[in-house]
Amino acid sequence: MDDAIRSRLETDLKEAMRARDETARDAIRYILAAVRNAEIEHRGDLPEPEAVATLRRVGKQLTDAAEQYRAGGREELAEHEEQQLAILRRYLPPELDDDRLHELVETVAAEVGATGPKDMGKLMPALIARVDGAADGRRVSAAAKAALTRST
């Protein structure tokens, strides 16, 4: 993994511990553990794209956990997961904004010849490859669905 990101995580962990910020401390420990596990699986340092993919997986886990807690009526636990997610986002590259995402959907749809909702299966693989982790899969899917629905 990029040494700058790792050292930033470790520095931020020390600062969170000094400040007695338990949420930040726990979130950063969780992130570092996920990164270390990925490095073990990779048998060495992670290249930048794989490190970002690992961080995005952790983000998805936190998002899913928050949704499950909320569905189970555990609002305080859902909020805790969302606080950890906010901390994780500090270490991720910025996501595509909605305008850029919609523009990308339109471009890729034209390239693959997707014209309606039935072409979703043709559009999504090309779109996911082009987005390359710069947007959440749910956002990408929703934008693709909206664009294909409009074009019918």
Side-chain angles (χ1 to χ4, degrees):
M1 177 175 194
D2 186 351
D3 286 337
I5 293 173
R6 176 184 292 287
S7 65
R8 185 171 157 213
L9 279 165
E10 291 171 351
T11 300
D12 289 353
L13 176 61
K14 290 175 189 171
E15 288 176 14
M17 291 170 77
R18 280 189 204 111
R20 299 193 193 295
D21 182 349
E22 293 177 11
T23 302
R25 181 199 66 202
D26 293 348
I28 295 169
R29 280 183 177 164
Y30 182 60
I31 295 164
L32 278 170
V35 168
R36 286 185 190 119
N37 288 338
E39 287 176 338
I40 290 169
E41 288 177 21
H42 189 266
R43 299 182 193 272
D45 287 344
L46 290 177
E48 187 69 21
E50 289 184 37
V52 170
T54 299
L55 295 179
R56 290 204 191 280
R57 271 193 303 278
V58 171
K60 181 167 178 17
Q61 291 170 353
L62 291 169
T63 301
D64 291 345
E67 289 173 2
Q68 290 175 359
Y69 284 136
R70 195 159 275 121
R74 300 295 308 267
E75 189 62 34
E76 71 284 354
L77 292 174
E79 288 177 14
H80 182 261
E81 296 296 311
E82 289 170 348
Q83 289 169 352
Q84 289 191 338
L85 182 60
I87 292 165
L88 170 72
R89 286 188 177 130
R90 297 179 197 167
Y91 305 99
L92 286 170
E95 286 201 4
L96 290 175
D97 63 16
D98 288 338
D99 293 335
R100 178 69 183 115
L101 180 59
H102 291 296
E103 181 181 307
L104 194 58
V105 169
E106 297 293 335
T107 302
V108 174
E111 288 173 5
V112 299
T115 57
K118 65 182 177 9
D119 295 324
M120 189 77 164
K122 185 172 21 171
L123 175 61
M124 283 305 291
L127 190 55
I128 293 292
R130 187 74 67 83
V131 168
D132 194 30
D136 179 62
R138 292 176 188 165
R139 282 185 59 221
V140 174
S141 178
K145 203 173 288 184
L148 292 177
T149 303
R150 278 195 308 263
S151 61
T152 56

